[in-house]
Amino acid sequence: GKGSPGIGGGAPGDLFLRVRLAAHPDFEVRGGDLFYALEIAPWEAVLGTQVVVPTLSGQVKLRVPPGTSSGRNLRVAGQGLPKGATGERGDLYVVTSIEVPTEISRAERELWEKLAAASRFNPREPSKP
């Protein structure tokens, strides 16, 4: 009943709106949940760190635990979009991505080489149950 008046004095027609959501520059939306891509350094993944991540209502500090792998989802409860009439909110999932430096100094190379020589870690070795 919110459209133009009908022909010959008839009742107003209906008004149809087409609504499209624009992509957010920081978040991917899945239902009421938001996903944020967080790039971390290899040493942050191994040792753990604290980072500040954006939310729709500001920023929060997030603990990245030691031993975090690339692709891990870290959940921040209640920081997603509102879901339904209750006002309950979805969650924010921070998805880690381990970034590797492409250019390193001679000193950094020496440190990486020492780490490689000292480490027993082999990502291609089958894990034992």
Side-chain angles (χ1 to χ4, degrees), residues 14 21 24 29 53-54 64 68 70 88 91 100 129:
D14 293 330
L21 294 176
H24 193 280
V29 178
V53 295
V64 177
T68 293
S70 204
E88 177 187 6
D91 298 325
V100 178

Side-chain angles (χ1 to χ4, degrees), residues 20-102:
R20 287 187 275 158
L21 294 176
H24 193 280
D26 296 327
F27 305 110
E28 179 184 331
V29 178
R30 295 185 204 160
D33 295 330
L34 298 175
F35 289 79
Y36 176 76
L38 175 67
E39 297 171 341
I40 59 175
W43 49 90
E44 291 175 318
V46 171
L47 303 173
T49 190
Q50 254 197 358
V51 295
V52 175
V53 295
T55 70
L56 293 177
S57 57
Q59 297 181 332
V60 295
K61 282 185 183 177
L62 179 67
R63 181 180 164 272
V64 177
T68 293
S69 296
S70 204
R72 181 168 181 181
N73 288 338
L74 304 172
R75 183 173 156 252
V76 183
Q79 290 296 322
L81 295 173
K83 301 188 301 188
T86 64
E88 177 187 6
R89 292 178 65 151
D91 298 325
L92 168 64
Y93 290 92
V94 177
V95 184
T96 60
S97 170
I98 299 171
E99 297 298 312
V100 178
T102 56

Side-chain angles (χ1 to χ4, degrees), residues 106-117:
R106 176 178 283 155
E108 288 171 314
R109 174 170 288 284
E110 290 172 5
L111 290 170
W112 282 108
E113 288 170 350
K114 285 180 184 179
L115 176 61

